Each structure stands twice: as structure tokens, then as C-alpha cells.
mmCIF file of all heavy atoms in Angstrom:
data_model
loop_
_atom_site.group_PDB
_atom_site.id
_atom_site.type_symbol
_atom_site.label_atom_id
_atom_site.label_comp_id
_atom_site.label_asym_id
_atom_site.label_seq_id
_atom_site.Cartn_x
_atom_site.Cartn_y
_atom_site.Cartn_z
ATOM 1 N N GLU A 14 121.044 104.038 95.549
ATOM 2 C CA GLU A 14 121.608 102.926 96.327
ATOM 3 C C GLU A 14 122.726 103.344 97.261
ATOM 4 O O GLU A 14 122.864 102.799 98.353
ATOM 5 C CB GLU A 14 122.132 101.847 95.373
ATOM 6 C CG GLU A 14 121.032 100.981 94.770
ATOM 7 C CD GLU A 14 121.593 99.945 93.815
ATOM 8 O OE1 GLU A 14 122.781 99.594 93.951
ATOM 9 O OE2 GLU A 14 120.849 99.501 92.931
ATOM 10 N N SER A 15 123.545 104.287 96.848
ATOM 11 C CA SER A 15 124.703 104.664 97.671
ATOM 12 C C SER A 15 124.295 105.726 98.691
ATOM 13 O O SER A 15 124.363 106.930 98.427
ATOM 14 C CB SER A 15 125.847 105.192 96.794
ATOM 15 O OG SER A 15 126.940 105.579 97.612
ATOM 16 N N LYS A 16 123.878 105.260 99.853
ATOM 17 C CA LYS A 16 123.478 106.187 100.922
ATOM 18 C C LYS A 16 124.704 106.790 101.610
ATOM 19 O O LYS A 16 124.576 107.688 102.436
ATOM 20 C CB LYS A 16 122.623 105.454 101.969
ATOM 21 C CG LYS A 16 121.345 104.834 101.423
ATOM 22 C CD LYS A 16 120.394 105.892 100.895
ATOM 23 C CE LYS A 16 119.102 105.298 100.386
ATOM 24 N NZ LYS A 16 118.249 106.299 99.721
ATOM 25 N N SER A 17 125.881 106.280 101.269
ATOM 26 C CA SER A 17 127.103 106.676 101.983
ATOM 27 C C SER A 17 127.918 107.733 101.256
ATOM 28 O O SER A 17 129.043 108.012 101.650
ATOM 29 C CB SER A 17 127.975 105.435 102.226
ATOM 30 O OG SER A 17 127.263 104.471 102.951
ATOM 31 N N MET A 18 127.393 108.296 100.181
ATOM 32 C CA MET A 18 128.169 109.322 99.476
ATOM 33 C C MET A 18 128.508 110.482 100.395
ATOM 34 O O MET A 18 127.692 110.896 101.213
ATOM 35 C CB MET A 18 127.382 109.861 98.274
ATOM 36 C CG MET A 18 127.747 109.167 96.986
ATOM 37 S SD MET A 18 127.500 110.177 95.515
ATOM 38 C CE MET A 18 125.806 110.634 95.643
ATOM 39 N N ALA A 19 129.708 111.004 100.254
ATOM 40 C CA ALA A 19 130.096 112.212 100.984
ATOM 41 C C ALA A 19 129.472 113.428 100.292
ATOM 42 O O ALA A 19 128.950 113.328 99.174
ATOM 43 C CB ALA A 19 131.613 112.330 101.011
ATOM 44 N N GLY A 20 129.553 114.575 100.943
ATOM 45 C CA GLY A 20 129.010 115.797 100.347
ATOM 46 C C GLY A 20 129.638 116.113 99.009
ATOM 47 O O GLY A 20 128.968 116.569 98.071
ATOM 48 N N VAL A 21 130.939 115.832 98.868
ATOM 49 C CA VAL A 21 131.637 116.121 97.614
ATOM 50 C C VAL A 21 131.124 115.212 96.500
ATOM 51 O O VAL A 21 131.013 115.636 95.344
ATOM 52 C CB VAL A 21 133.176 115.975 97.793
ATOM 53 C CG1 VAL A 21 133.582 114.552 98.104
ATOM 54 C CG2 VAL A 21 133.916 116.484 96.573
ATOM 55 N N GLY A 22 130.769 113.963 96.837
ATOM 56 C CA GLY A 22 130.204 113.058 95.846
ATOM 57 C C GLY A 22 128.846 113.529 95.365
ATOM 58 O O GLY A 22 128.522 113.449 94.175
ATOM 59 N N VAL A 23 128.030 114.041 96.292
ATOM 60 C CA VAL A 23 126.707 114.559 95.932
ATOM 61 C C VAL A 23 126.849 115.734 94.960
ATOM 62 O O VAL A 23 126.152 115.812 93.947
ATOM 63 C CB VAL A 23 125.911 114.972 97.191
ATOM 64 C CG1 VAL A 23 124.577 115.600 96.808
ATOM 65 C CG2 VAL A 23 125.683 113.767 98.102
ATOM 66 N N MET A 24 127.782 116.646 95.242
ATOM 67 C CA MET A 24 127.975 117.797 94.349
ATOM 68 C C MET A 24 128.459 117.346 92.980
ATOM 69 O O MET A 24 128.035 117.882 91.949
ATOM 70 C CB MET A 24 128.983 118.769 94.979
ATOM 71 C CG MET A 24 129.117 120.091 94.215
ATOM 72 S SD MET A 24 127.572 121.044 94.179
ATOM 73 C CE MET A 24 127.498 121.569 92.482
ATOM 74 N N PHE A 25 129.332 116.347 92.942
ATOM 75 C CA PHE A 25 129.813 115.820 91.659
ATOM 76 C C PHE A 25 128.640 115.257 90.857
ATOM 77 O O PHE A 25 128.536 115.485 89.645
ATOM 78 C CB PHE A 25 130.868 114.739 91.914
ATOM 79 C CG PHE A 25 131.407 114.103 90.654
ATOM 80 C CD1 PHE A 25 132.258 114.812 89.815
ATOM 81 C CD2 PHE A 25 131.061 112.803 90.307
ATOM 82 C CE1 PHE A 25 132.754 114.229 88.646
ATOM 83 C CE2 PHE A 25 131.552 112.210 89.156
ATOM 84 C CZ PHE A 25 132.393 112.931 88.317
ATOM 85 N N TYR A 26 127.747 114.552 91.526
ATOM 86 C CA TYR A 26 126.579 113.998 90.842
ATOM 87 C C TYR A 26 125.651 115.092 90.314
ATOM 88 O O TYR A 26 125.059 114.956 89.241
ATOM 89 C CB TYR A 26 125.835 113.036 91.777
ATOM 90 C CG TYR A 26 126.202 111.588 91.519
ATOM 91 C CD1 TYR A 26 127.443 111.093 91.900
ATOM 92 C CD2 TYR A 26 125.335 110.733 90.857
ATOM 93 C CE1 TYR A 26 127.800 109.774 91.641
ATOM 94 C CE2 TYR A 26 125.679 109.416 90.595
ATOM 95 C CZ TYR A 26 126.922 108.943 90.981
ATOM 96 O OH TYR A 26 127.275 107.646 90.703
ATOM 97 N N VAL A 27 125.500 116.167 91.069
ATOM 98 C CA VAL A 27 124.689 117.304 90.586
ATOM 99 C C VAL A 27 125.282 117.854 89.283
ATOM 100 O O VAL A 27 124.552 118.181 88.334
ATOM 101 C CB VAL A 27 124.598 118.406 91.671
ATOM 102 C CG1 VAL A 27 124.026 119.698 91.099
ATOM 103 C CG2 VAL A 27 123.735 117.927 92.838
ATOM 104 N N LEU A 28 126.611 117.916 89.221
ATOM 105 C CA LEU A 28 127.267 118.399 87.999
ATOM 106 C C LEU A 28 127.042 117.442 86.826
ATOM 107 O O LEU A 28 126.855 117.882 85.690
ATOM 108 C CB LEU A 28 128.762 118.586 88.246
ATOM 109 C CG LEU A 28 129.144 119.682 89.244
ATOM 110 C CD1 LEU A 28 130.637 119.611 89.564
ATOM 111 C CD2 LEU A 28 128.790 121.071 88.704
ATOM 112 N N LEU A 29 127.063 116.129 87.104
ATOM 113 C CA LEU A 29 126.779 115.157 86.043
ATOM 114 C C LEU A 29 125.372 115.366 85.489
ATOM 115 O O LEU A 29 125.164 115.337 84.266
ATOM 116 C CB LEU A 29 126.907 113.721 86.587
ATOM 117 C CG LEU A 29 128.302 113.220 86.961
ATOM 118 C CD1 LEU A 29 128.208 111.817 87.544
ATOM 119 C CD2 LEU A 29 129.235 113.216 85.751
ATOM 120 N N ALA A 30 124.410 115.580 86.386
ATOM 121 C CA ALA A 30 123.018 115.807 85.948
ATOM 122 C C ALA A 30 122.888 117.127 85.200
ATOM 123 O O ALA A 30 122.156 117.219 84.204
ATOM 124 C CB ALA A 30 122.088 115.781 87.160
ATOM 125 N N LEU A 31 123.596 118.151 85.658
ATOM 126 C CA LEU A 31 123.554 119.456 84.985
ATOM 127 C C LEU A 31 124.126 119.338 83.571
ATOM 128 O O LEU A 31 123.576 119.888 82.614
ATOM 129 C CB LEU A 31 124.339 120.487 85.800
ATOM 130 C CG LEU A 31 124.555 121.857 85.142
ATOM 131 C CD1 LEU A 31 123.227 122.524 84.784
ATOM 132 C CD2 LEU A 31 125.384 122.760 86.056
ATOM 133 N N ARG A 32 125.225 118.603 83.438
ATOM 134 C CA ARG A 32 125.815 118.431 82.112
ATOM 135 C C ARG A 32 124.833 117.722 81.177
ATOM 136 O O ARG A 32 124.682 118.098 80.005
ATOM 137 C CB ARG A 32 127.125 117.643 82.204
ATOM 138 C CG ARG A 32 127.862 117.543 80.872
ATOM 139 C CD ARG A 32 129.208 116.865 81.015
ATOM 140 N NE ARG A 32 129.071 115.454 81.415
ATOM 141 C CZ ARG A 32 130.105 114.633 81.538
ATOM 142 N NH1 ARG A 32 131.344 115.072 81.333
ATOM 143 N NH2 ARG A 32 129.916 113.379 81.891
ATOM 144 N N ALA A 33 124.131 116.704 81.693
ATOM 145 C CA ALA A 33 123.126 116.004 80.886
ATOM 146 C C ALA A 33 122.000 116.944 80.481
ATOM 147 O O ALA A 33 121.518 116.905 79.334
ATOM 148 C CB ALA A 33 122.573 114.811 81.673
ATOM 149 N N GLU A 34 121.591 117.816 81.399
ATOM 150 C CA GLU A 34 120.533 118.798 81.094
ATOM 151 C C GLU A 34 120.996 119.776 80.018
ATOM 152 O O GLU A 34 120.236 120.115 79.092
ATOM 153 C CB GLU A 34 120.153 119.546 82.375
ATOM 154 C CG GLU A 34 119.152 120.679 82.198
ATOM 155 C CD GLU A 34 117.756 120.213 81.797
ATOM 156 O OE1 GLU A 34 117.418 119.036 82.019
ATOM 157 O OE2 GLU A 34 117.006 121.048 81.250
ATOM 158 N N LEU A 35 122.247 120.219 80.110
ATOM 159 C CA LEU A 35 122.782 121.154 79.111
ATOM 160 C C LEU A 35 122.930 120.471 77.751
ATOM 161 O O LEU A 35 122.740 121.107 76.707
ATOM 162 C CB LEU A 35 124.123 121.718 79.581
ATOM 163 C CG LEU A 35 124.053 122.610 80.838
ATOM 164 C CD1 LEU A 35 125.448 122.966 81.330
ATOM 165 C CD2 LEU A 35 123.246 123.874 80.562
ATOM 166 N N ARG A 36 123.241 119.169 77.763
ATOM 167 C CA ARG A 36 123.272 118.399 76.507
ATOM 168 C C ARG A 36 121.879 118.364 75.891
ATOM 169 O O ARG A 36 121.704 118.573 74.694
ATOM 170 C CB ARG A 36 123.729 116.958 76.766
ATOM 171 C CG ARG A 36 125.209 116.723 76.665
ATOM 172 C CD ARG A 36 125.551 115.250 76.422
ATOM 173 N NE ARG A 36 124.775 114.300 77.194
ATOM 174 C CZ ARG A 36 125.094 113.843 78.401
ATOM 175 N NH1 ARG A 36 126.203 114.262 78.983
ATOM 176 N NH2 ARG A 36 124.335 112.966 79.029
ATOM 177 N N ALA A 37 120.884 118.094 76.731
ATOM 178 C CA ALA A 37 119.498 118.019 76.249
ATOM 179 C C ALA A 37 119.041 119.350 75.676
ATOM 180 O O ALA A 37 118.203 119.389 74.764
ATOM 181 C CB ALA A 37 118.573 117.583 77.386
ATOM 182 N N ARG A 38 119.609 120.437 76.171
ATOM 183 C CA ARG A 38 119.237 121.777 75.677
ATOM 184 C C ARG A 38 120.064 122.180 74.458
ATOM 185 O O ARG A 38 119.908 123.294 73.939
ATOM 186 C CB ARG A 38 119.410 122.817 76.784
ATOM 187 C CG ARG A 38 118.470 122.614 77.962
ATOM 188 C CD ARG A 38 118.576 123.732 78.986
ATOM 189 N NE ARG A 38 117.712 123.476 80.137
ATOM 190 C CZ ARG A 38 117.301 124.406 80.997
ATOM 191 N NH1 ARG A 38 117.681 125.670 80.835
ATOM 192 N NH2 ARG A 38 116.523 124.085 82.011
ATOM 193 N N GLY A 39 120.986 121.298 74.043
ATOM 194 C CA GLY A 39 121.776 121.578 72.850
ATOM 195 C C GLY A 39 122.950 122.511 73.072
ATOM 196 O O GLY A 39 123.547 123.019 72.115
ATOM 197 N N ILE A 40 123.309 122.757 74.333
ATOM 198 C CA ILE A 40 124.451 123.642 74.626
ATOM 199 C C ILE A 40 125.740 122.987 74.139
ATOM 200 O O ILE A 40 126.643 123.640 73.631
ATOM 201 C CB ILE A 40 124.550 123.937 76.141
ATOM 202 C CG1 ILE A 40 123.226 124.486 76.685
ATOM 203 C CG2 ILE A 40 125.702 124.892 76.447
ATOM 204 C CD1 ILE A 40 122.765 125.789 76.073
ATOM 205 N N PHE A 41 125.842 121.672 74.307
ATOM 206 C CA PHE A 41 126.931 120.894 73.720
ATOM 207 C C PHE A 41 126.450 119.462 73.550
ATOM 208 O O PHE A 41 125.376 119.086 74.036
ATOM 209 C CB PHE A 41 128.232 120.930 74.551
ATOM 210 C CG PHE A 41 128.055 121.059 76.030
ATOM 211 C CD1 PHE A 41 127.438 120.054 76.774
ATOM 212 C CD2 PHE A 41 128.506 122.183 76.699
ATOM 213 C CE1 PHE A 41 127.277 120.166 78.148
ATOM 214 C CE2 PHE A 41 128.346 122.297 78.076
ATOM 215 C CZ PHE A 41 127.733 121.307 78.798
ATOM 216 N N ASP A 42 127.233 118.653 72.837
ATOM 217 C CA ASP A 42 126.867 117.251 72.638
ATOM 218 C C ASP A 42 127.919 116.365 73.302
ATOM 219 O O ASP A 42 128.848 116.861 73.953
ATOM 220 C CB ASP A 42 126.716 116.922 71.143
ATOM 221 C CG ASP A 42 127.984 117.224 70.350
ATOM 222 O OD1 ASP A 42 129.093 117.176 70.927
ATOM 223 O OD2 ASP A 42 127.868 117.519 69.140
ATOM 224 N N ALA A 43 127.780 115.060 73.113
ATOM 225 C CA ALA A 43 128.678 114.119 73.771
ATOM 226 C C ALA A 43 130.133 114.353 73.397
ATOM 227 O O ALA A 43 131.044 114.095 74.191
ATOM 228 C CB ALA A 43 128.268 112.686 73.434
ATOM 229 N N ALA A 44 130.365 114.875 72.173
ATOM 230 C CA ALA A 44 131.744 115.093 71.715
ATOM 231 C C ALA A 44 132.332 116.391 72.254
ATOM 232 O O ALA A 44 133.534 116.480 72.516
ATOM 233 C CB ALA A 44 131.784 115.099 70.189
ATOM 234 N N THR A 45 131.472 117.399 72.436
ATOM 235 C CA THR A 45 131.989 118.724 72.818
ATOM 236 C C THR A 45 131.813 119.040 74.310
ATOM 237 O O THR A 45 132.306 120.054 74.780
ATOM 238 C CB THR A 45 131.286 119.830 72.012
ATOM 239 O OG1 THR A 45 129.858 119.767 72.276
ATOM 240 C CG2 THR A 45 131.534 119.656 70.517
ATOM 241 N N GLN A 46 131.118 118.179 75.038
ATOM 242 C CA GLN A 46 130.858 118.486 76.449
ATOM 243 C C GLN A 46 132.158 118.485 77.255
ATOM 244 O O GLN A 46 133.087 117.718 76.961
ATOM 245 C CB GLN A 46 129.876 117.477 77.040
ATOM 246 C CG GLN A 46 130.420 116.070 77.147
ATOM 247 C CD GLN A 46 129.397 115.094 77.712
ATOM 248 O OE1 GLN A 46 128.241 115.421 77.902
ATOM 249 N NE2 GLN A 46 129.829 113.874 78.011
ATOM 250 N N PRO A 47 132.230 119.334 78.281
ATOM 251 C CA PRO A 47 133.433 119.367 79.128
ATOM 252 C C PRO A 47 133.592 118.056 79.897
ATOM 253 O O PRO A 47 132.606 117.423 80.273
ATOM 254 C CB PRO A 47 133.168 120.527 80.089
ATOM 255 C CG PRO A 47 132.032 121.298 79.500
ATOM 256 C CD PRO A 47 131.236 120.330 78.699
ATOM 257 N N LYS A 48 134.826 117.658 80.118
ATOM 258 C CA LYS A 48 135.102 116.459 80.920
ATOM 259 C C LYS A 48 135.030 116.825 82.403
ATOM 260 O O LYS A 48 135.684 117.770 82.837
ATOM 261 C CB LYS A 48 136.486 115.905 80.573
ATOM 262 C CG LYS A 48 136.547 115.182 79.234
ATOM 263 C CD LYS A 48 137.892 114.482 79.071
ATOM 264 C CE LYS A 48 137.940 113.662 77.803
ATOM 265 N NZ LYS A 48 136.958 112.565 77.787
ATOM 266 N N LEU A 49 134.240 116.076 83.150
ATOM 267 C CA LEU A 49 134.131 116.306 84.592
ATOM 268 C C LEU A 49 135.001 115.342 85.397
ATOM 269 O O LEU A 49 135.229 115.552 86.590
ATOM 270 C CB LEU A 49 132.665 116.163 85.040
ATOM 271 C CG LEU A 49 131.692 117.219 84.490
ATOM 272 C CD1 LEU A 49 130.267 116.895 84.921
ATOM 273 C CD2 LEU A 49 132.074 118.623 84.949
ATOM 274 N N ASP A 50 135.497 114.264 84.735
ATOM 275 C CA ASP A 50 136.240 113.261 85.511
ATOM 276 C C ASP A 50 137.524 113.781 86.156
ATOM 277 O O ASP A 50 137.952 113.214 87.163
ATOM 278 C CB ASP A 50 136.505 111.998 84.679
ATOM 279 C CG ASP A 50 137.089 112.289 83.320
ATOM 280 O OD1 ASP A 50 136.359 112.777 82.453
ATOM 281 O OD2 ASP A 50 138.285 112.015 83.139
ATOM 282 N N PRO A 51 138.176 114.867 85.648
ATOM 283 C CA PRO A 51 139.330 115.380 86.410
ATOM 284 C C PRO A 51 138.969 115.810 87.837
ATOM 285 O O PRO A 51 139.826 115.843 88.720
ATOM 286 C CB PRO A 51 139.799 116.580 85.580
ATOM 287 C CG PRO A 51 139.375 116.255 84.183
ATOM 288 C CD PRO A 51 138.053 115.548 84.351
ATOM 289 N N LEU A 52 137.679 116.127 88.071
ATOM 290 C CA LEU A 52 137.247 116.535 89.408
ATOM 291 C C LEU A 52 137.278 115.369 90.398
ATOM 292 O O LEU A 52 137.185 115.570 91.612
ATOM 293 C CB LEU A 52 135.824 117.108 89.355
ATOM 294 C CG LEU A 52 135.630 118.366 88.495
ATOM 295 C CD1 LEU A 52 134.151 118.711 88.400
ATOM 296 C CD2 LEU A 52 136.411 119.534 89.069
ATOM 297 N N LEU A 53 137.408 114.143 89.882
ATOM 298 C CA LEU A 53 137.382 112.973 90.761
ATOM 299 C C LEU A 53 138.579 112.912 91.711
ATOM 300 O O LEU A 53 138.529 112.215 92.725
ATOM 301 C CB LEU A 53 137.278 111.691 89.932
ATOM 302 C CG LEU A 53 135.875 111.443 89.357
ATOM 303 C CD1 LEU A 53 135.916 110.407 88.244
ATOM 304 C CD2 LEU A 53 134.903 111.013 90.451
ATOM 305 N N THR A 54 139.658 113.641 91.403
ATOM 306 C CA THR A 54 140.768 113.715 92.368
ATOM 307 C C THR A 54 140.284 114.350 93.669
ATOM 308 O O THR A 54 140.615 113.884 94.764
ATOM 309 C CB THR A 54 141.947 114.529 91.805
ATOM 310 O OG1 THR A 54 141.468 115.815 91.390
ATOM 311 C CG2 THR A 54 142.575 113.837 90.611
ATOM 312 N N LEU A 55 139.483 115.405 93.532
ATOM 313 C CA LEU A 55 138.950 116.086 94.717
ATOM 314 C C LEU A 55 137.843 115.265 95.375
ATOM 315 O O LEU A 55 137.721 115.246 96.599
ATOM 316 C CB LEU A 55 138.412 117.470 94.323
ATOM 317 C CG LEU A 55 139.449 118.451 93.769
ATOM 318 C CD1 LEU A 55 138.779 119.716 93.260
ATOM 319 C CD2 LEU A 55 140.486 118.796 94.830
ATOM 320 N N VAL A 56 137.032 114.585 94.545
ATOM 321 C CA VAL A 56 135.979 113.719 95.092
ATOM 322 C C VAL A 56 136.605 112.616 95.936
ATOM 323 O O VAL A 56 136.136 112.309 97.037
ATOM 324 C CB VAL A 56 135.118 113.121 93.954
ATOM 325 C CG1 VAL A 56 134.083 112.145 94.529
ATOM 326 C CG2 VAL A 56 134.414 114.231 93.167
ATOM 327 N N ALA A 57 137.689 112.028 95.433
ATOM 328 C CA ALA A 57 138.369 110.945 96.163
ATOM 329 C C ALA A 57 138.906 111.441 97.492
ATOM 330 O O ALA A 57 138.728 110.800 98.536
ATOM 331 C CB ALA A 57 139.503 110.387 95.302
ATOM 332 N N LEU A 58 139.555 112.591 97.471
ATOM 333 C CA LEU A 58 140.133 113.163 98.696
ATOM 334 C C LEU A 58 139.047 113.429 99.740
ATOM 335 O O LEU A 58 139.174 113.021 100.903
ATOM 336 C CB LEU A 58 140.884 114.456 98.347
ATOM 337 C CG LEU A 58 141.350 115.336 99.504
ATOM 338 C CD1 LEU A 58 142.220 114.563 100.483
ATOM 339 C CD2 LEU A 58 142.103 116.563 98.973
ATOM 340 N N GLY A 59 137.975 114.105 99.349
ATOM 341 C CA GLY A 59 136.911 114.445 100.294
ATOM 342 C C GLY A 59 136.176 113.228 100.822
ATOM 343 O O GLY A 59 135.809 113.165 101.995
ATOM 344 N N THR A 60 135.984 112.232 99.949
ATOM 345 C CA THR A 60 135.269 111.015 100.349
ATOM 346 C C THR A 60 136.033 110.250 101.418
ATOM 347 O O THR A 60 135.466 109.832 102.435
ATOM 348 C CB THR A 60 135.030 110.120 99.114
ATOM 349 O OG1 THR A 60 134.205 110.835 98.174
ATOM 350 C CG2 THR A 60 134.353 108.819 99.488
ATOM 351 N N VAL A 61 137.336 110.062 101.202
ATOM 352 C CA VAL A 61 138.149 109.321 102.184
ATOM 353 C C VAL A 61 138.303 110.130 103.472
ATOM 354 O O VAL A 61 138.180 109.601 104.576
ATOM 355 C CB VAL A 61 139.520 108.952 101.600
ATOM 356 C CG1 VAL A 61 140.416 108.319 102.664
ATOM 357 C CG2 VAL A 61 139.360 108.000 100.414
#
């Protein structure tokens, strides 16, 4: 739906999908997975 994402938003989404794939492969679970939300400071800057 969001056709207006900036390039930085697209890369952030790729990381979200990669983390889900690594969860599915058992590399980590919901409790042990790395937090990606700190990257949103950079996503916000690039988007604006």
C-alpha cells in the first residue's frame, strides 16, 4: 500500500523480512532476535 516509502524505508523492510526468515530457520526466536527498531532514527531522517 505504501508506494511512497523512501529508499531507507525499503531497506528497513528488507531487514524485517530477513529477521523473520532467520527466525523461521531457528537462528533465533522472538525472545532472542535482535531489535531493529533503533534503526528507525535513521529511517525517519532519510524519509523526511
Side-chain angles (χ1 to χ4, degrees):
E14 283 179 24
S15 179
K16 301 296 182 187
S17 302
M18 265 207 304
V21 65
V23 176
M24 188 63 224
F25 179 72
Y26 262 73
V27 168
L28 294 171
L29 291 177
L31 172 58
R32 186 175 65 177
E34 175 68 21
L35 294 172
R36 269 201 318 271
R38 295 185 183 200
I40 306 299
F41 31 65
D42 57 28
T45 60
Q46 67 181 7
K48 285 189 175 297
L49 294 176
D50 49 287
L52 298 173
L53 285 164
T54 54
L55 297 173
V56 176
L58 170 56
T60 298
V61 174

